[in-house]
Amino acid sequence: MNWPGIIEAYRAFLPVTEKTPVVTLFEGNTPLVRASRLCEALSLPIDLYLKYEGTNPTGSFKDRGMTLAISKAKEAGAQAVICASTGNTSASAAAFSARAELPAYVLIPEGKIAVGKLAQAMIHGATVVQVTGNFDEALVLVKEIAQKYPITLVNSINPYRLEGQKTAAFEICDQLGHAPDYHFLPVGNAGNITAYWRGYKDYHKLEKISLLPKMMGFQAAGAAPIVLGHKVEKPDTIATAIRIGNPASWKEAITAAQESQGKILSVTDEEIIYAYRKIAALEGLFCEPASAASVAGVIKLSKTGIFDVGARSPRPMRMVCTLTGHGLKDADFAVGKCKQPVTVKANINDVLKVLGL
Ligand code: F0G
């Protein structure tokens, strides 16, 4: 059977009716990849899986929420949609709006979004406005505009976004046959950790899973308001997707961590880049820097020994890390982190010399 997209696949769990016009790019059904090489190379005493959301149609997990948000906007007769974004939300909003024949307006922090994401918003025909401020400031502006004009806000404060995004937790349980012991993910505006927790709880209530995972959220150290317990006026990190100082779902993220006996912690840019390179080199998965905060969190915590289980335990801890976005969105960043290719004349001897053959 062809995958029908998340709304049809999980219709019974979502706020849709026969009247909802489903706007889909056949998002979801992303691979859950066992990361044995990473565990072996880094001596991680765990059973680790990577949920690779980069294979969604616009290259990030945002498509799960956007299919529902745009379908419901269409159902309600919206005239246009608007969002603030560090890049992925705007890429997704632009793509789904194009399909839904809705104008999309997006506000992005000037110079602080990866070029691939900017390209997506532009090519899909969104009206792109760069603001000389950060994401938090852009979010305040779009909220005000959505209040004054008949334009639907499609940031994750739109309740349909998180409803759609919770389907990633369903997929993981369906793919593994149970929930993991721990779920790690990057935290920016804090919507996704909230959505996953809701998804796991929905499945638990329906007795599709017997155990709930501990939710482990990771912010970048320079943009870690939840960890610090106060807003960060000038958030700063190489992980531009999560460069956020005042997350919209702040309280909900804390609730997810507390209810699940998990934590919200931070990792440094160096730790993020280390994980980013290891995921690509050892597992063949190219994610964007922000995504690697999840694996950076696993590596950091594993050093404390908390995942070491006693000899009598029947199995190692099962963990899932969400790789939230595709690495190609920020190709310049990857190129800048690698040894540059050698240039030679188009002649066999010169090529062989460089290859050491
Ligand atoms: N990873 C990536 C690749 C993201 O784009 C985002 C958020 C996150 C993680 C964090 O998820 O906000 O639900 O905690 N990007 C938003 C955007 C803010 O505008 O694209 P969150």
Side-chain angles (χ1 to χ4, degrees):
M1 189 191 82
N2 282 341
W3 175 257
I6 63 113
I7 293 181
E8 293 305 346
Y10 293 108
R11 184 173 268 275
F13 304 89
L14 298 173
V16 288
T17 66
E18 321 78 71
K19 292 206 193 86
T20 313
V22 175
V23 182
T24 182
L25 287 165
F26 306 99
E27 60 297 313
N29 195 27
T30 57
L32 185 68
V33 181
R34 195 174 203 167
S36 345
R37 284 200 72 208
L38 202 58
C39 291
E40 207 176 293
L42 303 182
S43 306
L44 304 172
I46 58 174
D47 195 9
L48 179 65
Y49 297 82
L50 306 174
K51 181 69 169 161
Y52 189 48
E53 291 286 275
T55 64
N56 275 300
T58 77
S60 87
F61 71 96
K62 305 285 181 182
D63 294 345
R64 294 178 183 278
M66 208 54 78
T67 180
L68 196 61
I70 298 291
S71 298
K72 294 301 283 188
K74 197 78 185 156
E75 182 180 354
Q79 305 290 300
V81 302
I82 192 166
C83 66
S85 183
T86 57
N88 282 323
T89 298
S90 55
S92 188
F96 281 89
S97 300
R99 206 161 168 79
E101 282 188 84
L102 279 174
Y105 306 112
V106 310
L107 267 65
I108 53 170
E110 188 198 19
K112 292 291 182 186
I113 84 164
V115 70
K117 302 174 187 178
L118 179 61
Q120 288 177 287
M122 289 167 67
I123 199 74
H124 292 305
T127 303
V128 180
V129 181
Q130 308 198 70
V131 298
T132 53
N134 57 36
F135 169 84
D136 306 293
E137 291 167 296
L139 186 60
V140 171
L141 294 171
V142 295
K143 277 197 226 168
E144 192 179 325
I145 295 168
Q147 258 167 19
K148 287 197 183 141
Y149 297 88
I151 303 178
T152 303
L153 187 65
V154 293
N155 278 103
S156 57
I157 33 188
N158 175 322
Y160 299 119
R161 279 278 314 279
L162 299 192
E163 281 294 298
Q165 282 172 216
K166 75 181 181 184
T167 60
F170 298 163
E171 278 179 25
I172 289 167
C173 298
D174 294 345
Q175 286 164 319
L176 281 178
H178 45 74
D181 298 305
Y182 286 83
H183 190 118
F184 284 70
L185 69 174
V187 172
N189 214 20
N192 213 26
I193 190 168
T194 307
Y196 267 96
W197 181 234
R198 190 183 295 173
Y200 284 123
K201 284 202 299 187
D202 281 2
Y203 253 30
H204 190 249
K205 219 178 277 164
L206 290 167
E207 296 180 7
K208 283 182 165 279
I209 51 173
S210 54
L211 294 174
L212 285 164
K214 293 182 169 51
M215 301 302 298
M216 307 295 288
F218 281 82
Q219 301 197 292
I226 302 179
V227 179
L228 296 170
H230 59 77
K231 287 185 206 170
V232 174
E233 293 298 330
K234 294 202 178 333
D236 189 29
T237 167
I238 53 93
T240 53
I242 54 171
R243 187 174 165 273
I244 293 176
N246 185 20
S249 301
W250 186 322
K251 279 202 205 99
E252 293 81 353
I254 290 181
T255 304
Q258 282 176 350
E259 281 183 2
S260 70
Q261 296 167 354
K263 280 199 161 56
I264 310 241
L265 301 166
S266 65
V267 279
T268 64
D269 281 0
E270 291 68 35
E271 288 168 324
I272 291 173
I273 295 167
Y274 178 80
Y276 167 76
R277 301 189 64 142
K278 290 290 177 198
I279 298 161
L282 295 169
E283 299 296 349
L285 294 176
F286 188 20
C287 66
E288 60 175 288
S291 305
S294 57
V295 174
V298 170
I299 297 171
K300 184 172 189 158
L301 288 194
S302 76
K303 291 180 185 151
T304 68
I306 68 159
F307 306 140
D308 301 341
V309 287
R312 274 189 293 162
S313 175
R315 60 169 179 85
M317 299 274 193
R318 290 192 193 106
M319 321 243 163
V320 172
C321 287
T322 304
L323 300 183
T324 45
H326 203 293
L328 284 174
K329 288 189 175 254
D330 206 349
D332 288 349
F333 185 84
V335 170
K337 288 288 160 224
C338 298
K339 209 172 106 200
Q340 299 308 297
V342 177
T343 306
V344 295
K345 290 215 182 80
N347 127 7
I348 191 75
N349 290 333
D350 288 0
V351 173
L352 289 174
K353 204 165 138 198
V354 172
L355 298 179
L357 297 171

